[in-house]
Amino acid sequence: MKNLKYILPILVIIMLLTSFKKLEDTDPKDKALITILNYVLTQWHYHPQEINDNFSKNVYTKFLESLDPSKRYFLQSDIEEFSVYKNAIDDQIKQENLTFFNLVYKRFNERTEESKAYYKEILTHPIDFMSDETLNVDYEKTKYATNTFELISHWKKLMKFSVLTRVYDKVNEEDDKLKKDKNYKIKTFSELEIEARESTLKNMDEYFNRLKELDHSDLFSTYINCISEEFDPHTNYYDPIKKKGFDQSISGKLEGIGARLQKQNDYVKVSELVIGGPAWKQGELEAEDIILKVAQGDGEPLDIVGMRLDHSIEFIKGKKGTEVRLTVKKIDGTIKVISIIRDVIELEETFVKSSVVNKNGKKFGVINLPKFYIDFDEKNYRNSTTDMAQEIERLKKENVEGLIVDLRNNGGGSLKTAIEITGLFINQGPVVQVKYRDKEAQIKSDIDPKMQWDGPLVVLVNELSASASEIFAAAMQDYKRAVIIGGKQTYGKGTVQSVLDLNRYHNLKEDIGALKITIQKFYRINGGSTQLEGVHSDIMLPSRYTYMEIGERDLTNPLKFDKVPEANYALWNNYANFNEVIGNSKKRIANNTYFKLIDENAKWLKKSQDDSIVYLNYEAYKNDLEYHKNESSKFDEIKNYTTNLTFESPLYEKAILKNDTDLTEKRSTWHKNLKKDIYVAEALNVLEDLKLKPNHHLVKK
């Protein structure tokens, strides 16, 4: 971004570095990083936080939670010792003082070393699964142990739960073996309990070996991120190793399962599936799933609960053609083992594609746009604008009477293409407002008077449609150009980040990494920000995410919603029955049995997600899993929904399919899914009902 070119000269930074107070045991690189971070964040972040006592308290809490999310290491006495610095971290940042970090780092190493003796002793003895114990995995409600005895008691529950899950799996495996071979001799529960303890012990040993490999710089990076993320959740520090990985991920091909993962307390959660990736193709892994264990093929599953995210990812990713088996906790509370064959993420699946469908004698087009893609380095490389324009022209030749643009699960991409694609559906005019800190919002407009499609338009979104998707959907809604159908609101990410190499600020010989920093905010042409609010659908369809905490608003410390003056634009105003169509759709949805069932399922999923009590009694644990499985089966009818519609490739693609069996298979799968997609079905109902006025004309706002 141009504004980042006005950077404090290196000379001034060097002067700052030479002014450090001498502190024992503090690496000059760490002091340099804390100084540079302080400067960059306060000078260039879109909404800089005041680094005060409140800021200090938040960093203090976040850092301790990052190191010990399940409260299995620190004692209450440690917390009391640390708390002296609760209101002092802000001053320490300004003074290049790392006393708090050094104290916590040293104590963390001591406590983790002590913990080895706890789990080893616990796993030496048989575990009783008959007692009526429970474990609350909502660790925010868990207090720190006041003494070693209480801490060991907490460890006993954690180890008991880990062994319990393994015993349960082994019992089921024995039952499966007996079904296949009636002469198979089933192992006793006691034998399985011993095996489960042994595998848990091996898993814990491996976990602590990895923990031991964490050095000072690893935990200092965690501390730095606790500071940066206090500005907003998208402002993140990349240490030199992660910076290298980030550079590779945006320039090369990725091999793995194709899922974006994030840390949630002690757990690894799936935040998003990469379109075209192996997990997306396999179809069972979903956003919000919690990954509990990872197995390489038919190998022993590795428990990743409590493991650092980057270490977990090392076990999940892998070479093309290899199998990974993930034990996941679904959002309905059921436990499922999902087998995925790793592969290279296929770019073809991230490109625009379309389908044609006949409904009651009318022909409509469905265009799927997985992301707003562009390649700034290769001018001749495919981009979403030219692909979309070409797809529309092809559909026009087939005389389609209306279009659906499907942006579900589209996490965004290029702002440039979002503006250009909006321009395909309007004559010309403002599309979005972009604002830098302390400056007036700049209006970004479509300046091309050509309109690629002037017919009826429906835009399909969901709770995972974000960023550039929200810009396009918001513009279509503000112009009243399209009917927006989907979840109650889109994701709500209305900010822009830039990755800044921090090495430009120092003259040290070492690499100190990079900072992804929020520098801009998006606003609709009606003046409202897409931040937090996203885009509220004209027609809200219930989904499994309706009651989930899944959007920007549910992240820690997001930037606020606000407004700027609205832009000057003219409503499209060419629908003869816009409001009537929306009203009729709402009536259909309210009376639709499947949508009612989807809403009931969503409420139950939310209830299951909020249930944080785990049973440590074997029968109670087994019954709880069976209960969730049975309750989940009540909603199986949703999967049986289908229409009598037939979706086909457009004519131009049919010729290509004759010589491409792989693409034929992919399109066949997509068309079958469209046929069973209740959201597409309702979008087609709306599209069919939309009527244009005899004479198109613009009405000034």
Side-chain angles (χ1 to χ4, degrees):
M1 296 296 176
K2 291 181 180 179
N3 291 47
L4 290 176
K5 292 181 180 178
Y6 302 104
I7 301 299
L8 192 67
I10 288 179
L11 178 63
V12 181
I13 288 290
I14 294 171
M15 292 171 63
L16 283 172
L17 297 181
T18 56
S19 69
F20 280 125
K21 296 177 178 64
K22 288 191 176 180
L23 295 168
E24 291 185 12
D25 302 323
T26 302
D27 190 325
K29 186 179 76 170
D30 293 345
K31 291 195 285 186
L33 180 55
I34 206 88
T35 300
I36 293 168
L37 188 80
N38 182 20
Y39 169 76
V40 172
L41 286 171
T42 53
Q43 292 298 312
W44 298 110
H45 192 275
Y46 179 85
H47 185 72
Q49 303 293 316
E50 184 179 350
I51 300 182
N52 54 22
D53 286 356
N54 188 57
F55 183 95
S56 179
K57 289 175 187 175
N58 293 339
V59 172
Y60 169 88
T61 301
K62 191 175 181 68
F63 185 48
L64 296 184
E65 287 178 349
S66 298
L67 296 184
D68 190 12
S70 55
K71 297 177 180 173
R72 66 171 82 181
Y73 301 124
F74 293 132
L75 293 167
Q76 181 59 37
S77 57
D78 297 325
I79 303 305
E80 290 170 3
E81 187 177 351
F82 299 156
S83 65
V84 173
Y85 300 99
K86 185 180 283 189
N87 295 327
I89 295 173
D90 55 322
D91 298 316
Q92 290 192 358
I93 291 171
K94 296 169 186 175
Q95 297 167 5
E96 302 92 29
N97 184 331
L98 300 176
T99 305
F100 168 70
F101 168 77
N102 289 333
L103 171 64
V104 175
Y105 170 68
K106 181 181 178 184
R107 189 63 45 81
F108 180 72
N109 285 336
E110 291 170 357
R111 295 301 185 214
T112 52
E113 188 63 30
E114 292 168 357
S115 298
K116 291 181 183 179
Y118 304 155
Y119 79 78
K120 288 180 183 293
E121 171 63 21
I122 293 166
L123 295 173
T124 301
H125 307 285
I127 294 176
D128 175 22
F129 293 114
M130 300 295 288
S131 58
D132 293 327
E133 279 188 300
T134 59
L135 172 67
N136 190 343
V137 293
D138 182 357
Y139 296 115
E140 289 183 6
K141 297 177 181 176
T142 303
K143 294 182 179 179
Y144 287 100
T146 57
N147 53 49
T148 304
F149 177 79
E150 282 187 9
L151 189 62
I152 292 173
S153 295
H154 184 45
W155 266 97
K156 283 181 178 178
K157 285 191 173 185
L158 293 171
M159 292 299 94
K160 188 172 185 176
F161 178 44
S162 185
V163 176
L164 174 60
T165 60
R166 283 179 166 81
V167 171
Y168 178 79
D169 291 342
K170 288 179 179 294
V171 169
N172 288 332
E173 287 171 8
E174 290 295 295
D175 290 340
D176 290 340
K177 288 176 182 177
L178 183 61
K179 289 175 183 177
K180 294 177 182 178
D181 181 4
K182 292 182 179 180
N183 297 319
Y184 177 76
K185 185 181 178 182
I186 291 182
K187 294 178 182 177
T188 66
F189 189 89
S190 296
E191 289 174 322
L192 297 178
E193 188 272 341
I194 292 171
E195 288 182 5
R197 265 190 295 122
E198 288 174 347
S199 59
T200 301
L201 178 62
K202 181 182 177 183
N203 184 83
M204 292 302 298
D205 286 340
E206 291 174 351
Y207 170 74
F208 271 85
N209 285 336
R210 289 190 299 275
L211 199 61
K212 191 175 181 179
E213 291 172 3
L214 297 181
D215 58 18
H216 178 277
S217 62
D218 289 312
L219 296 190
F220 190 63
S221 294
T222 301
Y223 181 57
I224 291 295
N225 263 310
C226 291
I227 295 172
S228 66
E229 289 171 12
E230 187 55 28
F231 281 71
D232 86 297
H234 303 292
T235 295
N236 314 119
Y237 169 67
Y238 296 140
D239 64 32
I241 295 175
K242 287 183 180 176
K243 175 175 173 282
K244 183 179 179 182
F246 175 80
D247 292 341
Q248 290 174 343
S249 72
I250 61 173
S251 62
K253 290 183 177 179
L254 298 175
E255 289 187 346
I257 66 168
R260 292 191 173 90
L261 309 173
Q262 65 183 61
K263 196 73 172 170
Q264 187 179 67
N265 295 323
D266 252 6
Y267 298 97
V268 173
K269 184 176 80 171
V270 178
S271 60
E272 182 185 354
L273 295 182
V274 178
I275 302 295
W280 176 80
K281 288 180 185 175
Q282 198 269 355
E284 293 183 288
L285 195 68
E286 300 172 286
E288 297 299 297
D289 283 351
I290 301 292
I291 301 177
L292 303 174
K293 300 174 187 176
V294 181
Q296 309 305 320
D298 57 3
E300 178 73 22
L302 176 70
D303 191 338
I304 63 169
V305 176
M307 190 183 292
R308 278 170 55 107
L309 180 61
D310 52 351
H311 284 167
S312 302
I313 291 171
E314 286 299 315
F315 293 102
I316 295 170
K317 72 180 185 180
K319 291 295 183 182
K320 175 182 178 179
T322 59
E323 180 192 20
V324 62
R325 293 183 185 178
L326 306 178
T327 301
V328 303
K329 182 179 181 182
K330 307 294 289 183
I331 56 177
D332 61 8
T334 57
I335 305 296
K336 188 172 188 179
V337 177
I338 299 174
S339 171
I340 300 171
I341 304 299
R342 300 176 177 109
D343 202 349
V344 175
I345 310 303
E346 293 184 42
L347 289 176
E348 185 64 37
E349 292 300 327
T350 69
F351 295 144
V352 170
K353 62 178 183 251
S354 69
S355 181
V356 177
V357 59
N358 283 285
K359 186 174 189 291
N360 297 328
K362 293 182 178 180
K363 187 182 284 188
F364 300 108
V366 179
I367 300 179
N368 179 267
L369 178 61
K371 64 187 292 186
F372 290 82
Y373 50 90
I374 193 170
D375 192 314
F376 291 105
D377 297 323
E378 295 186 41
K379 292 183 179 179
N380 296 324
Y381 194 74
R382 293 180 66 169
N383 71 77
S384 50
T385 302
T386 54
D387 283 357
M388 179 69 92
Q390 185 179 53
E391 213 67 30
I392 292 171
E393 282 305 301
R394 288 164 168 169
L395 292 172
K396 281 164 67 174
K397 288 179 181 178
E398 298 198 37
N399 300 315
V400 297
E401 297 184 46
L403 288 181
I404 295 173
V405 175
D406 188 353
L407 297 179
R408 290 175 297 174
N409 304 318
N410 182 323
S414 162
L415 171 63
K416 181 176 183 289
T417 59
I419 295 169
E420 291 170 346
I421 290 174
T422 299
L424 301 177
F425 301 97
I426 61 173
N427 286 326
Q428 61 186 86
V431 173
V432 65
Q433 302 190 70
V434 180
K435 187 178 181 301
Y436 282 101
R437 163 183 165 185
D438 299 330
K439 293 190 176 182
E440 296 294 320
Q442 300 174 354
I443 297 172
K444 303 289 185 180
S445 299
D446 164 49
I447 57 174
D448 185 353
K450 182 183 179 183
M451 187 185 254
Q452 204 82 26
W453 177 256
D454 63 357
L457 180 65
V458 168
V459 177
L460 198 52
V461 296
N462 67 0
E463 290 84 352
L464 296 174
S465 302
S467 195
S469 292
E470 296 174 290
I471 290 170
F472 174 78
M476 294 296 95
Q477 188 174 62
D478 289 343
Y479 276 107
K480 284 206 169 180
R481 176 62 187 92
V483 177
I484 312 300
I485 302 180
K488 59 182 178 180
Q489 68 180 88
T490 54
Y491 190 84
K493 183 181 183 293
T495 58
V496 187
Q497 287 72 41
S498 180
V499 177
L500 179 64
D501 187 345
L502 297 179
N503 293 301
R504 67 177 68 182
Y505 299 115
H506 68 82
N507 63 345
L508 299 172
K509 294 181 180 179
E510 296 181 81
D511 184 353
I512 65 169
L515 184 72
K516 177 161 69 73
I517 183 171
T518 299
I519 58 166
Q520 290 176 319
K521 208 169 180 182
F522 289 137
Y523 294 85
R524 301 169 66 137
I525 55 176
N526 71 6
S529 174
T530 53
Q531 177 66 9
L532 299 189
E533 287 295 310
V535 178
H536 292 261
S537 298
D538 297 317
I539 301 169
M540 201 280 272
L541 302 175
S543 78
R544 64 187 311 162
Y545 299 124
T546 299
Y547 305 102
M548 293 283 179
E549 296 179 353
I550 198 171
E552 177 89 2
R553 62 198 175 280
D554 300 307
L555 298 178
T556 302
N557 199 39
L559 294 188
K560 306 301 181 191
F561 168 84
D562 62 341
K563 294 182 177 181
V564 297
E566 73 173 49
N568 183 27
Y569 63 100
L571 293 178
W572 194 66
N573 205 46
N574 288 316
Y575 291 116
N577 59 345
F578 190 85
N579 293 327
E580 181 186 344
V581 168
I582 291 173
N584 290 338
S585 177
K586 289 179 178 179
K587 290 176 185 176
R588 276 195 303 272
I589 293 163
N591 295 318
N592 186 293
T593 304
Y594 283 98
F595 278 127
K596 288 179 182 178
L597 195 60
I598 290 169
D599 191 57
E600 288 176 26
N601 185 36
K603 289 175 181 176
W604 180 73
L605 289 173
K606 174 60 176 171
K607 182 181 176 183
S608 297
Q609 190 183 50
D610 292 341
D611 183 6
S612 60
I613 301 298
V614 173
Y615 295 97
L616 300 179
N617 174 287
Y618 182 83
E619 288 301 320
Y621 175 78
K622 177 182 175 182
N623 292 338
D624 187 52
L625 287 181
E626 288 297 317
Y627 166 76
H628 280 91
K629 185 177 180 181
N630 292 334
E631 286 296 302
S632 179
S633 68
K634 293 179 181 179
F635 304 104
D636 284 348
E637 184 62 25
I638 295 170
K639 301 173 187 174
N640 297 330
Y641 175 85
T642 189
T643 66
N644 59 0
L645 301 172
T646 300
F647 293 84
E648 297 181 324
S649 287
L651 291 174
Y652 85 90
E653 194 173 68
K654 286 184 177 180
I656 300 172
L657 295 178
K658 290 178 181 178
N659 301 311
D660 192 333
T661 54
D662 187 42
L663 185 61
T664 299
E665 185 180 344
K666 290 174 186 174
R667 290 296 183 263
S668 176
T669 301
W670 182 44
H671 294 153
K672 286 177 184 176
N673 290 336
L674 288 174
K675 182 181 178 69
K676 295 171 63 65
D677 193 326
I678 193 170
Y679 303 102
V680 170
E682 183 53 31
L684 285 168
N685 288 335
V686 171
L687 199 56
E688 183 182 22
D689 288 349
L690 277 173
K691 300 289 188 292
L692 298 177
K693 291 178 179 178
N695 299 309
H696 293 185
H697 61 282
L698 293 175
V699 176
K700 286 287 182 182
K701 259 184 82 34

